[in-house]
Amino acid sequence: MITIKTGTGAPQVVKNSGMALTQVLLIIALISVFIVSITYSVRNYIRSAEQIQYRTEAKLTLRTMQTRVLEAMLTEPWVTSEQNITNPIAQNWNFYGRWFRVDNVDIRITNVSSLMLLSVNDEDYYQRYLKSLDVDTVQAKQAAKAMVDYQGGELGRPIQSLHELRFITGLGETVVEKLQQYATPFVVSNRSPMYMPDQLLTAEMDASAAQRVKALRSDGTFDRNNFELATGIEPDMMVIHYPGPIFRIELLYQQNDISQNEQITVELRPYDQPPVTFLSTGLTGNGKTARPSEQ
């Protein structure tokens, strides 16, 4: 559209710039949207790269700590009254499944011969241990029967892995989770009630003896003599007051909203070849996870 302006001077033709201005504004808006989109994409790429970096660092940290733990367990005495131990892992380990922390990694080492055995195939045994894990009587009886029936069914063999527990009808998710923490499919020749996790103690002793053992562990006076005085349990052909040689080692690292967990079961024989035999291993990442606390 053309507008004619009249006046004392020569006629001037002024173009209506409305359409052009609209086009310019539209182009600016499109460019702005494009820039915002690019910025958002770059931020996502940076965030993804950071997450990959954090996960890689977490895995590297766990694997490094795993090596340090195994080295310590192969070079340091498992049971000693010496006070001059300088290795921070050996200073803090306990072998009865209490968490401790070294260099921002949470560590739990459990003596496998002190865990509930899945290969016993005895309902009374299963019920006793399940009750020690606060499973009610009815549910414990049902779960014990389910495990015995499963092993005596078509397979006709002992439970061979913790993962296998999820295929046993009648256990329930709560029982499965407890068994995965405090049971083992590995067959051991000797039992070591001295190193049982706190949660299992009442399966092998009365509640008052279990409380005495927990107190000894907490105040730093836990040793073989005090354990025998507190419980009346003495070593024999089947019972030993010494950890090993099979251990479950759990590691947890949490940093930058990344949580990485690793669990291995190893047989350690420092003076044999090979000194380390890996029986099982696993590495998982589960996002945010609360730092372990004693139950």
Side-chain angles (χ1 to χ4, degrees), residues 18 27 34 68-69 76 85 91 95 103 133 146 163 190 212 214 252 256 260 276:
I27 292 172
F34 179 72
R68 290 177 59 188
V69 170
E76 299 285 348
I85 297 175
Q91 286 176 338
F95 303 135
D103 294 340
L133 293 173
H163 178 71
N190 297 99
R212 290 194 292 271
K214 293 177 186 178
L252 171 63
N256 299 310
Q260 288 284 345
V276 180

Side-chain angles (χ1 to χ4, degrees), residues 26 28 34 38-39 68 76 80 85 123 144 159 197 203 207 221-222 233 244 259 270 272:
L26 180 59
I28 292 174
F34 179 72
I38 291 295
T39 302
R68 290 177 59 188
E76 299 285 348
T80 179
I85 297 175
E123 285 192 35
I159 299 168
T221 57
F222 182 70
I233 299 176
S259 175
D272 292 349

Side-chain angles (χ1 to χ4, degrees), residues 11-239:
Q12 298 180 3
V13 178
V14 180
K15 294 183 178 180
N16 188 340
S17 60
M19 182 64 71
L21 178 62
T22 300
Q23 291 175 342
V24 170
L25 293 175
L26 180 59
I27 292 172
I28 292 174
L30 291 174
I31 293 174
S32 299
V33 170
F34 179 72
I35 292 174
V36 170
S37 177
I38 291 295
T39 302
Y40 181 77
S41 298
V42 169
R43 287 178 178 175
N44 279 342
Y45 289 139
I46 292 174
R47 189 177 297 111
S48 297
E50 288 177 342
Q51 292 297 307
I52 293 172
Q53 177 187 348
Y54 294 150
R55 283 194 292 270
T56 302
E57 289 176 350
K59 290 180 182 179
L60 179 59
T61 299
L62 286 187
R63 290 301 164 84
T64 301
M65 182 57 72
Q66 179 194 117
T67 301
R68 290 177 59 188
V69 170
L70 292 176
E71 180 185 18
M73 296 186 72
L74 291 173
T75 57
E76 299 285 348
W78 297 342
V79 178
T80 179
S81 58
E82 297 178 10
Q83 302 299 316
N84 59 349
I85 297 175
T86 58
N87 187 297
I89 297 171
Q91 286 176 338
N92 290 281
W93 65 29
N94 52 72
F95 303 135
Y96 41 79
R98 285 190 179 181
W99 289 97
F100 62 96
R101 172 169 281 200
V102 176
D103 294 340
N104 295 320
V105 177
D106 292 295
I107 306 167
R108 178 162 66 175
I109 306 174
T110 308
N111 185 45
V112 167
S113 63
S114 302
L115 293 172
M116 172 184 169
L117 302 177
L118 292 177
S119 57
V120 173
N121 198 20
D122 182 318
E123 285 192 35
D124 291 337
Y125 175 89
Y126 291 148
Q127 287 187 52
R128 190 169 77 249
Y129 272 80
L130 288 169
K131 289 176 183 178
S132 74
L133 293 173
D134 295 326
V135 177
D136 66 71
T137 302
V138 174
Q139 192 175 14
K141 185 175 182 179
Q142 176 183 336
K145 185 177 186 305
M147 285 190 284
V148 169
D149 290 346
Y150 177 83
Q151 295 175 87
E154 294 181 1
L155 294 177
R157 59 168 175 76
I159 299 168
Q160 297 182 324
S161 74
L162 294 175
H163 178 71
E164 192 175 348
L165 292 169
R166 297 193 176 277
F167 297 99
I168 301 178
T169 303
L171 288 189
E173 186 65 25
T174 300
V175 171
V176 169
E177 289 179 357
K178 288 179 181 292
L179 290 176
Q180 287 182 332
Q181 288 190 68
Y182 300 108
T184 179
F186 297 105
V187 178
V188 296
S189 55
N190 297 99
R191 299 287 289 150
S192 183
M194 178 174 171
Y195 291 97
M196 278 187 167
D198 293 344
Q199 295 80 357
L200 290 178
L201 289 172
T202 55
E204 296 294 335
M205 62 192 73
D206 60 42
S208 60
Q211 288 301 322
R212 290 194 292 271
V213 171
K214 293 177 186 178
L216 291 172
R217 291 173 173 178
S218 296
D219 65 22
T221 57
F222 182 70
D223 58 25
R224 171 177 171 172
N225 291 333
N226 285 338
F227 174 80
E228 290 183 6
L229 289 173
T231 64
I233 299 176
E234 297 182 354
D236 56 29
M237 292 291 291
M238 299 299 296
V239 174

